[in-house]
Amino acid sequence: MTSEDRAYGAPARRPAEDEVDVVAEDTEKTAKGGKDKKKGSFWKELPVLVVVALVLALVIKTFIVQAFYIPSESMENTLLKNDRVLVNKLVYHVRDIERGDVVVFSGVDSWDGEVQIEEPSNAFAAFFRWVGTAFGVVPGEKDYIKRVIGVPGDVVKCCDKQGRVTVNGVALDESEYLYPNDLPSREPFEIKVPEGRLWVMGDHRSVSLDSREHQGDPGGGTIPIDQVIGRAFVIVWPFSRATTLPIPDTFSQPALKAAAAATGATPLLAGFAGAVPLVLWRRRRLSRR
């Protein structure tokens, strides 16, 4: 500073080091304030994010894919107790249910539960039970999982001379999925599956309360197709058992498909057989006139 500056009382300049300290302090305060605002906004947005995630999950669960908990041994060893599977809810909008599909269906107002589940003690517990069921964390009280053996029009019978289940007279080789050393069925049965219904059985036949155990019910043990929720197509938990659930090869037998086609054609052929004599009788009557 010059002598003239001092003479006229000009303010003294601060050292450059002081200016740097002030700027750094202001920047630090600003940064801390920004972090606090971000933390506050995150906690405010978190409930919204949770609600949105739940809504999206419920939409997906309702219309596309749903997780299900396996509560019993009725599908061993294909599915073990406490497994979780994903169920495709769209597949039967683009194709029919096929023999060999593993399906989840509702037994409301029809079958009794295979596993007894305690009722929630209060509304709070009921809500969390509903959420757990929706996301496959706990079992549904009236949901069942079985393998489709017969579709509408099929004649399902047990057993042939080798003790096998037959569909339309064609024997099934069930060794691919049947529980080891289990018989295809301990009880003999024979049924023609009505229209709009399915004959279903568990893979662990000796413990499965399936269509065989409900032959005295309306439909002779078959279940309504409109009660089917979807097709189980993959095991997702535990990770060590993660795998897909394809249709076993025995259901791809050409003879099985041919027999089904013949079974479906029988009413049509019978109709033609009955119509031919009527047409010939009418022609004779017209010619006499």
Side-chain angles (χ1 to χ4, degrees):
M1 183 178 292
T2 63
S3 58
E4 290 181 346
D5 292 334
R6 294 192 186 95
Y8 290 100
R13 296 183 60 187
R14 296 175 61 184
E17 292 81 358
D18 293 345
E19 293 181 1
V20 171
D21 291 341
V22 170
V23 172
E25 184 178 355
D26 291 342
T27 303
E28 184 178 354
K29 289 180 179 179
T30 304
K32 287 183 178 179
K35 288 181 180 179
D36 292 340
K37 288 181 180 178
K38 287 182 180 179
K39 287 181 179 179
S41 62
F42 170 77
W43 290 112
K44 289 179 181 178
E45 293 173 358
L46 182 60
V48 177
L49 293 173
V50 171
V51 171
V52 171
L54 284 173
V55 170
L56 289 175
L58 287 174
V59 169
I60 293 171
K61 167 256 177 188
T62 302
F63 299 105
I64 304 174
V65 174
Q66 182 176 354
F68 278 89
Y69 178 100
I70 306 303
S72 71
E73 300 86 1
S74 68
M75 282 294 292
E76 291 180 341
N77 281 332
T78 304
L79 301 173
L80 303 182
K81 187 176 180 180
N82 300 324
D83 280 355
R84 272 73 162 181
V85 298
L86 291 184
V87 172
N88 187 335
K89 292 188 167 186
L90 294 178
V91 63
Y92 296 135
H93 293 285
V94 296
R95 74 162 174 86
D96 293 332
I97 298 174
E98 297 180 6
R99 304 178 198 89
D101 280 347
V102 175
V103 297
V104 172
F105 61 95
S106 172
V108 173
D109 299 326
S110 84
W111 292 11
D112 292 330
E114 289 183 316
V115 177
Q116 298 301 318
I117 300 172
E118 293 185 7
E119 291 291 330
S121 57
N122 54 59
F124 187 73
F127 171 76
F128 279 99
R129 174 165 184 75
W130 175 79
V131 173
T133 302
F135 292 99
V137 180
V138 297
E141 183 179 3
K142 287 289 187 176
D143 294 332
Y144 299 82
I145 185 163
K146 304 293 179 190
R147 190 179 299 279
V148 176
I149 303 298
V151 296
D154 282 347
V155 176
V156 186
K157 183 179 179 180
C158 188
C159 298
D160 67 1
K161 293 180 179 179
Q162 283 74 42
R164 300 169 298 183
V165 171
T166 64
V167 178
N168 301 326
V170 179
L172 300 179
D173 178 5
E174 301 188 279
S175 58
E176 183 178 346
Y177 55 85
L178 205 61
Y179 187 79
N181 302 318
D182 234 2
L183 296 174
S185 180
R186 295 181 184 277
E187 310 87 16
F189 62 86
E190 181 174 0
I191 186 171
K192 183 171 183 179
V193 183
E195 284 300 316
R197 304 184 75 90
L198 303 167
W199 180 269
V200 296
M201 301 173 74
D203 290 354
H204 194 172
R205 300 284 164 80
S206 60
V207 301
S208 178
L209 302 179
D210 50 40
S211 288
R212 297 168 299 161
E213 303 300 321
H214 295 273
Q215 295 183 69
D217 297 350
T222 58
I223 64 166
I225 287 179
D226 59 13
Q227 291 286 75
V228 173
I229 296 169
R231 176 178 180 260
F233 66 97
V234 64
I235 301 172
V236 293
W237 183 263
F239 291 136
S240 59
R241 285 183 38 75
T243 186
T244 57
L245 300 170
I247 296 177
D249 292 338
T250 189
F251 294 99
S252 300
Q253 297 181 76
L256 183 61
K257 295 182 179 180
T263 302
T266 299
L268 183 61
L269 293 175
F272 276 116
V276 168
L278 291 175
V279 172
L280 293 176
W281 173 79
R282 185 172 180 273
R283 284 184 177 179
R284 288 180 181 178
R285 187 174 180 181
L286 290 175
S287 63
R288 288 177 182 175
R289 290 181 180 178

